[in-house]
Amino acid sequence: MDGRVEIDEDSDNKGSMWVLDQKLDQPMDEEAGRLRNMYREKKFSALLLLRLAFQSLGVVFGDLGTSPLYVFYNTFPREINEPEDVIGALSLIIYSLTLVPLLKYVFVVCKANDNGQGGTFALYSLLCRHANVKIIPNQHRTDEELTTYSRSTFHEQSYAAKTKRWLERHASRKTALLLLVLVGTCMVIGDGILTPAISVLSAVGGIKVNSPNMNSDIVILVAVVILVGLFSMQHYGTDRVGWLFAPIVLLWFLMIGGIGVFNIWKYDSSVLKAFSPLYIYRYFKRNGKEGWTSLGGIMLSITGTEALFADLSHFPVSAVQIAFTLVVFPCLLSAYSGQAAYLMNNRGHVSDAFYRSIPEGIYWPMFIVATAAAVVASQATISATFSIIKQALSHGCFPRVKVVHTSKKFLGQIYVPDINWILMVLCIAVTAGFKKQSQIGNAYGTAVVIVMLVTTLLMTLIMILVWRCHWILVLIFTCLSLLVECTYFSAVLFKVDQGGWVPLVIAAAFLIIMYVWHYGTVKRYEFEMHSKVSMAWILGLGPSLGLVRVPGIGLVYTELARGVPHIFSHFITNLPAIHSVVVFVCVKYLPVYTVPEEERFLVKRIGPKSFHMFRCVARYGYRDLHKKDDDFEKKLFESLFMFVRLESMMEGCSDSEEYSLYGQQTEQSRDGFLNNNGNTNSSNVDTISSVDSIVPVKSPIHVNNTVGSSSQLSSHTETDELEFLKNCRDAGVVHILGNTVIRASRDSRFYKKIAVDYVYAFLRKICRENSVIFNIPHESLLNVGQIFYV
């Protein structure tokens, strides 16, 4: 049946008409998503694209651009044995920049963004939409009908369908995929700690070039002061100071590129031979194991590539590609070649090659620009860390922390106070503890290469399930990426004891926190699912639920998107009264970047009308910020009132129990939802009485007059119930929250008892309460406690 509905010209729903024009049983497919993305790309004019490319320099490429500050020193921490070693190292840098940032990330991985969102959790969200790999089983068919829920359909015998079935067959594979994503996320957090440390320390270290007798502790003190200032300004957001970033980074790239050309002309133009890969072979043959371990320093030339992908949200991919190919890539090649030319004649200056290669006349201006660029680079990784923490929070993989949106224009610009101060303390500890760039560089390289390996494995699944590439293309991409990255990984393993252990320890700590929190979240949801109240029990209580119904509306918060939660039976068992209207509110995060406001709420009725019980599911994407405020409550009640009006209109269409807008009988449904732009969706998920059904029909707020005469039959009932609901709302709204405590059972293993009784309990104690997250006033809050054992 076609879901097309006529809408008045003055309707407020013009923006969502195309949603209403979809087939009732057909979710938006990949073709619609691709057309929308094509439209989004086409609306950028050439001039606007260039402007966006310019702005992307300050947000996306800061970390990658400051690598020339420390690459050669970390490659040759002792000394340079042969001049040709410099050419071999330069050749490795050139081909690393070409293969990883240019070919892999800018032209392949960036295209795997989730509607502009990048990072490991964005890739995971794409996979969750195309395969049933999400561990928390709160999916519903109505979620797939969101305009932002684009997904592919597979042929049963296709390679993609076989891979999908292989992933879904065992829970252990889903868990392994989640652990892979968490490892990548933890390493990105490690980047957020190490990038500011090495960038700022390397930039400030330029002071000692003109003042060799200066104590190294002064350099560290200056770096720490800059870091404290950087983290203390995070609450202002990048939007207020971001207008400075792009000019600073552009000036940085032009200066290092120009100095590089000057040094090639002045010192030794023979370094251009490094564009021949033959010198890579000679380098390894001559240096053996020492040359192999020096790859840990070479790979610092591609650090910041993951931040490039994670900070993608504000710019179209084409703008990032233009900025990288026209500015970033050529300037970096020129900068590294210029330093190599200088080192060919000054091999003893490798420890501070960047600053010593600067012409004396522009040394101090370059020092100021380098320090500013290091701050911008640090900001990029800190912002990426905040974004990925928010995504992990939305997937139930991180303890509840405060998330603040710092910009009204850009939803992606957020600030997480708790994480900010943790990053600052750890960053200062790394800077003051190591004191040497080489040890921080070893740690940095370990974190970066592990993130890249995780991205490669996730991209393999994306190419199969989302892009449906031919298996030969998937094999070529995976093998080439793993060949390069495993080579680097084998090199950084030699430096684990020289600082490389730091990101492993940091990542292990965050991984334990994230996995234990996710485990507790899943167990709590499973308890809610298994102990939910049967509809037969509710119906047996009668219209008054066997209690005194007092005036007002009770909002019962639950994690269940279907069924009556156990907290409700626990509540009415211990208290003799319940409110005249009960609404079960479920705030659910979906594997999409955002849920449009007009599609946010789903409403259904539970039981007969005399019960006055409803369910409202509020859906959010991982980029959305949910805050329980007056606006949220207002929209919830608007959706509830609209549901009552439309339900009454549908009942007036015919004497039959379930009819569509056009009088055609629909399939019997056990679970009906209505969203707040007037669309109803049905799915046979709950096994409940037929009185728990509503009319599954798609209809806007303003429908054609053809239903006007039918709806008048039930207008009196509708008016009575609407008036009753409004009176109850005016009488007062009470928020009922469940305070569920998880304990390990007595026969559990010792590590499970430690994880549940100590680690998870400690995290629950220090993280934010639900009442704080929902901003519920204390005078209208009721907490219902319960304990269950796992």
Side-chain angles (χ1 to χ4, degrees):
M1 183 185 71
D2 196 342
R4 186 183 299 274
V5 181
E6 294 184 20
I7 302 179
D8 293 342
E9 290 297 317
D10 297 331
S11 172
D12 294 331
N13 291 292
K14 290 181 181 179
S16 58
M17 281 183 63
W18 71 280
V19 180
L20 302 177
D21 200 21
Q22 302 294 318
K23 299 287 185 181
L24 282 179
D25 298 323
Q26 179 183 0
M28 196 188 78
D29 58 8
E30 184 188 25
E31 183 66 25
R34 186 163 62 248
L35 290 173
R36 189 175 70 252
N37 289 334
M38 287 173 60
Y39 171 76
R40 186 179 290 135
E41 289 289 336
K42 285 182 178 179
K43 71 180 181 182
F44 293 111
S45 65
L47 189 62
L48 178 58
L49 206 57
L50 289 175
R51 194 181 81 181
L52 290 171
F54 166 70
Q55 291 176 343
S56 71
L57 290 172
V59 177
V60 176
F61 298 109
D63 189 10
L64 186 64
T66 53
S67 296
L69 284 166
Y70 43 78
V71 168
F72 275 108
Y73 171 58
N74 284 275
T75 304
F76 303 107
R78 297 183 183 89
E79 60 180 4
I80 300 174
N81 298 322
E82 297 287 338
E84 195 171 303
D85 286 349
V86 178
I87 298 179
L90 177 61
S91 187
L92 282 166
I93 292 171
I94 290 171
Y95 284 98
S96 297
L97 284 170
T98 304
L99 291 174
V100 181
L102 180 65
L103 296 181
K104 179 186 174 183
Y105 276 86
V106 172
F107 286 104
V108 180
V109 176
C110 283
K111 289 184 177 295
N113 63 85
D114 184 14
N115 287 274
Q117 304 300 304
T120 51
F121 265 105
L123 298 179
Y124 182 64
S125 296
L126 278 174
L127 293 174
C128 287
R129 295 207 299 270
H130 289 79
N132 185 21
V133 294
K134 192 175 181 182
I135 296 179
I136 299 179
N138 62 349
Q139 298 91 345
H140 194 277
R141 200 188 70 174
T142 53
D143 300 335
E144 299 176 11
E145 299 181 2
L146 286 171
T147 55
T148 52
Y149 200 107
S150 58
R151 59 181 298 177
S152 306
T153 54
F154 309 120
H155 189 275
E156 282 298 317
Q157 300 302 319
S158 66
Y159 189 68
K162 293 177 181 177
T163 305
K164 177 177 180 290
R165 288 194 294 270
W166 180 83
L167 273 176
E168 296 173 348
R169 193 170 298 133
H170 297 291
S172 59
R173 293 168 187 168
K174 299 179 183 180
T175 304
L177 180 62
L178 177 65
L179 281 172
L180 184 69
V181 173
L182 293 182
V183 167
T185 303
C186 293
M187 289 300 171
V188 172
I189 296 173
D191 283 353
I193 295 167
L194 297 169
T195 298
I198 192 170
S199 299
V200 174
L201 187 60
S202 299
V204 174
I207 300 175
K208 290 195 67 177
V209 175
N210 273 10
S211 305
N213 297 325
M214 181 180 291
N215 193 326
S216 298
D217 292 339
I218 296 178
V219 176
I220 295 172
L221 180 61
V222 173
V224 168
V225 170
I226 292 175
L227 289 172
V228 171
L230 172 66
F231 283 101
S232 299
M233 292 178 62
Q234 291 301 312
H235 67 280
Y236 291 110
T238 56
D239 186 40
R240 299 190 181 183
V241 292
W243 59 274
L244 278 174
F245 287 0
I248 289 173
V249 177
L250 178 62
L251 181 62
W252 164 258
F253 278 120
L254 293 178
M255 291 183 75
I256 63 173
I259 292 171
V261 172
F262 173 78
N263 286 336
I264 294 171
W265 170 78
K266 180 180 179 180
Y267 293 105
D268 195 343
S269 61
S270 66
V271 293
L272 298 179
K273 294 186 296 184
F275 282 89
S276 169
L278 178 64
Y279 288 91
I280 297 177
Y281 169 75
R282 291 182 179 178
Y283 178 77
F284 287 131
K285 183 179 180 181
R286 187 169 51 253
N287 293 285
K289 181 182 177 181
E290 188 176 344
W292 192 266
T293 56
S294 70
L295 286 174
I298 296 291
M299 83 153 301
L300 294 180
S301 63
I302 56 176
T303 55
T305 308
E306 276 301 321
L308 177 156
F309 181 47
D311 281 324
L312 195 65
S313 57
H314 303 314
F315 306 99
V317 174
S318 52
V320 173
Q321 291 172 339
I322 290 172
F324 188 83
T325 53
L326 295 184
V327 178
V328 179
F329 188 62
C331 288
L332 285 177
L333 293 184
S334 175
Y336 286 118
S337 300
Q339 283 190 51
Y342 176 82
L343 289 173
M344 290 287 284
N345 296 333
N346 303 275
R347 283 183 284 163
H349 294 168
V350 67
S351 61
D352 42 24
F354 175 79
Y355 280 110
R356 287 189 179 274
S357 65
I358 298 172
E360 188 174 348
I362 61 169
Y363 175 82
W364 287 112
M366 191 65 192
F367 172 78
I368 295 172
V369 174
T371 305
V375 171
V376 173
S378 304
Q379 179 64 56
T381 53
I382 293 169
S383 299
T385 303
F386 290 160
S387 296
I388 208 162
I389 289 290
K390 173 65 169 64
Q391 293 177 15
L393 186 66
S394 302
H395 283 81
C397 296
F398 203 85
R400 297 184 298 267
V401 291
K402 184 178 183 180
V403 178
V404 180
H405 275 208
T406 58
S407 172
K408 294 181 179 179
K409 295 185 292 183
F410 304 111
L411 287 178
Q413 293 187 4
I414 59 175
Y415 167 62
V416 185
D418 301 330
I419 299 300
N420 180 67
W421 302 123
I422 291 173
L423 291 181
M424 186 187 78
V425 171
L426 292 176
C427 186
I428 292 173
V430 168
T431 305
F434 280 137
K435 298 184 180 181
K436 291 184 179 180
Q437 298 176 29
S438 59
Q439 290 182 318
I440 301 176
N442 295 336
Y444 196 15
T446 305
V448 169
V449 73
I450 293 177
V451 178
M452 289 182 176
L453 284 169
V454 169
T455 302
T456 297
L457 297 176
L458 293 177
M459 277 300 302
T460 301
L461 293 175
I462 293 290
M463 294 178 76
I464 295 172
L465 296 176
V466 182
W467 292 352
R468 289 177 289 177
C469 297
H470 195 278
W471 66 271
I472 294 179
L473 291 176
V474 177
L475 189 64
I476 292 173
F477 172 83
T478 305
C479 290
L480 285 177
S481 298
L482 289 179
L483 177 64
V484 174
E485 290 155 9
C486 286
T487 302
Y488 281 127
F489 183 65
S490 65
V492 299
L493 286 178
F494 289 104
K495 298 187 176 182
V496 170
D497 61 336
Q498 302 171 31
W501 57 270
V502 173
L504 299 179
V505 172
I506 294 172
F510 276 98
L511 182 63
I512 291 172
I513 290 171
M514 295 172 77
Y515 187 74
V516 169
W517 183 263
H518 185 264
Y519 176 81
T521 302
V522 171
K523 290 301 179 183
R524 195 170 65 246
Y525 186 84
E526 288 177 351
F527 168 76
E528 294 280 358
M529 283 289 292
H530 295 151
S531 61
K532 63 183 180 181
V533 181
S534 68
M535 199 61 206
W537 184 77
I538 296 290
L539 293 172
L541 296 176
S544 66
L545 302 177
L547 302 167
V548 177
R549 302 297 293 268
V550 298
I553 295 180
L555 299 181
V556 182
Y557 289 84
T558 173
E559 295 185 15
L560 293 181
R562 52 186 183 269
V564 178
H566 181 262
I567 180 182
F568 181 69
S569 65
H570 192 63
F571 177 80
I572 63 177
T573 302
N574 289 276
L575 288 175
I578 191 67
H579 300 87
S580 300
V581 177
V582 177
V583 181
F584 297 102
V585 182
C586 171
V587 177
K588 183 171 73 168
Y589 284 91
L590 305 180
V592 295
Y593 75 105
T594 187
V595 176
E597 283 288 340
E598 65 272 12
E599 300 177 76
R600 176 140 296 158
F601 293 95
L602 294 176
V603 179
K604 68 166 285 184
R605 184 186 295 277
I606 298 178
K609 285 188 175 181
S610 57
F611 280 23
H612 300 299
M613 294 174 63
F614 303 89
R615 174 178 297 111
C616 179
V617 180
R619 304 177 295 181
Y620 292 85
Y622 57 80
R623 187 183 174 185
D624 295 328
L625 178 67
H626 165 65
K627 184 178 181 181
K628 171 61 192 70
D629 51 18
D630 293 337
D631 189 49
F632 174 86
E633 193 172 293
K634 177 184 175 184
K635 290 177 181 177
L636 188 152
F637 287 127
E638 285 176 355
S639 302
L640 183 62
F641 297 155
M642 184 193 305
F643 168 81
V644 172
R645 286 196 296 268
L646 288 176
E647 184 190 40
S648 298
M649 284 195 298
M650 296 309 103
E651 286 179 348
C653 291
S654 173
D655 293 334
S656 181
E657 184 182 16
E658 290 187 354
Y659 273 77
S660 73
L661 186 60
Y662 299 99
Q664 295 176 307
Q665 191 169 7
T666 62
E667 295 181 3
Q668 288 294 322
S669 172
R670 292 291 183 181
D671 188 19
F673 280 109
L674 173 124
N675 66 26
N676 66 318
N677 68 348
N679 300 329
T680 58
N681 305 292
S682 64
S683 174
N684 48 349
V685 179
D686 286 340
T687 306
I688 53 179
S689 171
S690 60
V691 296
D692 193 25
S693 302
I694 66 169
V695 184
V697 55
K698 288 201 170 187
S699 170
I701 300 175
H702 303 287
V703 297
N704 200 338
N705 288 332
T706 53
V707 276
S709 58
S710 300
S711 62
Q712 289 174 0
L713 298 175
S714 58
S715 60
H716 181 70
T717 305
E718 171 200 339
T719 305
D720 289 346
E721 186 167 19
L722 280 177
E723 190 67 27
F724 175 75
L725 290 175
K726 291 177 181 177
N727 289 336
C728 288
R729 182 187 62 180
D730 295 337
V733 178
V734 176
H735 305 266
I736 304 170
L737 288 175
N739 187 14
T740 305
V741 178
I742 304 176
R743 297 277 173 81
S745 56
R746 289 185 178 181
D747 57 347
S748 300
R749 295 182 183 273
F750 76 94
Y751 56 82
K752 184 176 180 180
K753 290 182 178 179
I754 292 174
V756 175
D757 292 345
Y758 296 97
V759 179
Y760 184 76
F762 175 73
L763 293 175
R764 279 285 299 247
K765 186 178 292 185
I766 64 173
C767 76
R768 307 180 84 213
E769 295 287 343
N770 278 329
S771 58
V772 177
I773 294 175
F774 296 141
N775 196 24
I776 298 173
H778 289 288
E779 61 270 15
S780 60
L781 171 65
L782 278 177
N783 264 315
V784 181
Q786 53 185 353
I787 300 176
F788 75 93
Y789 295 88
V790 296

